[in-house]
Amino acid sequence: MKNLELSDIDIINKITVSENITESYHDNFIYVLNKDRTIRWLFPTNLKNPSFLSFYNSSTVRSKIFIWLTIFLYKIRIFNLFFGTKISLLIHKNSFLDKLIKNKRYDNFSIFFGTVGANKKIIFKILKVDNSSSYIKYSISNKSSKLIDNESFYLKKILKTKNKTLSVPSVISEKKSIMVELSDIKIKNSIQLSNLENIHINAAIEISSHFQKYNSWDEIKNSYEFKNLFNSFKNLKSRNKFLNSKQLSSFSELALKNLEFINTKDQVLCSLSHGDFTPWNMYICKEKVYAFDWELASTDKPVLFDLFHFIFQSKTLLGNKSYNQFKKEIINLNKNSILKNFCNNNNVNLNSNYLFYLLFISSYYLQLYLNQEKIHIQAYWLFDNWNSAFNDFLDNKGNIFYDN
């Protein structure tokens, strides 16, 4: 393992090492690297099919080509020669990996090492002897422990509600703050769509129909402490040179100016939100949305948070589009008949709700990015678009949804 990043070695040790070592053995695996030389996937050498592809977003043409090519190369048994590296792991008896290997209900598995950042955790795709499958999320930090527990908590709540469009995983088993096993909800012929369709809007509205409550904007602003957060960014030094002090100060001032556009006396409808409602966290099939990865779910955000997030994230992260290139798609939400009806019935102010989204998402991720050792290029794309969106709000005096 001498050629691996220290962070990956730490992860491997977490799943292969047992506190009480009685005996151990070696087993062979294949790992595939990301561009930054960290591990992306790890799987046993005897894995028959590339189940690790289930972790890969398939909503773009490019990703579909990659998946097809991988399946073809794997089928003719040359994928590992080009993209994989063999490694022998020392596995302690009673370690987490040992228990997986020896579980008689499991046929095989593959491991996704997660995305960089404080929220990182590892995910196992479990292939079972009865031909079913599941996912195990395994915590590697205090932050990821909280996220895993949060997902389990909200999935149990959602499963008690009635839904026509939405389907979510069930919790098969869990060990608080350590792991949770979830059902695999992907069904045959399901797809991932990168563009917002009415099916996404229907699902988001259905999500917003659960656990509704009205709060004042004053309560919301105080609860999320936006003023304190953005003021703190002015004096915060980045661990990774993500942004300099001048950029942070300018961005914070811009966000605080926009904060004043929210009328604190108004009431706002809050409800359940997925928190990361994106093309790569759902499948679509026959007018139904199969949504997974509910780690960031909550019930205290203004409605339609998920729709703003879908557009902003998909256009920025999948298409590397500038804000001006997809701004019209956000504004056109006001013209969608389904959404317009929902907003009229619930007295939703799209301007205020969208501004909340920008304030929350930028402050949330800035806290993470500024404390990470490594920053992905996509973080810079997002920052540029948050900055452009805030400037757009300021230029239009808090009213970009002209008819709302």
Side-chain angles (χ1 to χ4, degrees), residues 202-220:
N202 285 330
I205 287 176
E206 194 164 72
I207 291 171
S208 294
S209 70
H210 300 310
F211 316 119
Q212 292 183 341
K213 59 183 177 183
Y214 279 92
N215 289 319
S216 70
W217 274 114
D218 194 42
E219 290 175 299
I220 296 291

Side-chain angles (χ1 to χ4, degrees), residues 103-116:
N103 191 317
K104 294 181 179 179
R105 295 183 296 114
Y106 300 164
D107 179 46
N108 218 321
F109 60 89
S110 53
I111 310 171
F112 173 52
F113 269 50
T115 52
V116 66

Side-chain angles (χ1 to χ4, degrees), residues 103-212:
N103 191 317
K104 294 181 179 179
R105 295 183 296 114
Y106 300 164
D107 179 46
N108 218 321
F109 60 89
S110 53
I111 310 171
F112 173 52
F113 269 50
T115 52
V116 66
N119 291 349
K120 182 171 180 172
K121 82 285 303 169
I122 53 176
I123 308 175
F124 297 79
K125 172 66 181 286
I126 306 296
L127 306 174
K128 301 183 179 181
V129 294
D130 64 359
N131 293 321
S132 66
S133 59
S134 64
Y135 291 93
I136 292 178
K137 294 191 173 186
Y138 188 85
S139 169
I140 59 172
S141 66
N142 291 334
K143 184 74 173 178
S144 58
S145 292
K146 292 178 181 178
L147 292 173
I148 287 172
D149 290 345
N150 189 65
E151 179 168 24
S152 176
F153 173 78
Y154 276 104
L155 283 176
K156 291 174 185 176
K157 291 188 70 170
I158 297 166
L159 286 165
K160 294 178 182 178
T161 64
K162 292 183 179 180
N163 296 285
K164 181 181 178 181
T165 306
L166 181 71
S167 182
V168 302
S170 58
V171 178
I172 297 173
S173 64
E174 63 182 318
K175 193 170 182 181
K176 188 172 177 59
S177 300
I178 297 177
M179 58 76 67
V180 61
E181 181 177 6
L182 306 172
S183 63
D184 183 0
I185 58 173
K186 184 179 182 181
I187 63 172
K188 190 176 181 180
N189 298 322
S190 61
I191 59 174
Q192 291 181 309
L193 300 173
S194 59
N195 293 319
L196 186 71
E197 307 283 352
N198 280 341
I199 182 67
H200 299 112
I201 293 175
N202 285 330
I205 287 176
E206 194 164 72
I207 291 171
S208 294
S209 70
H210 300 310
F211 316 119
Q212 292 183 341

Side-chain angles (χ1 to χ4, degrees), residues 318-356:
L318 293 180
N320 187 17
K321 294 185 180 298
S322 69
Y323 181 72
N324 286 333
Q325 288 177 295
F326 64 83
K327 171 189 169 182
K328 188 175 180 179
E329 188 169 341
I330 294 175
I331 294 174
N332 283 344
L333 287 174
N334 198 29
K335 299 177 182 178
N336 183 279
S337 59
I338 300 171
L339 197 57
K340 202 163 189 175
N341 184 56
F342 176 82
C343 290
N344 289 337
N345 290 339
N346 293 280
N347 196 28
V348 176
N349 184 317
L350 284 174
N351 285 302
S352 296
N353 287 39
Y354 178 45
L355 183 52
F356 169 86

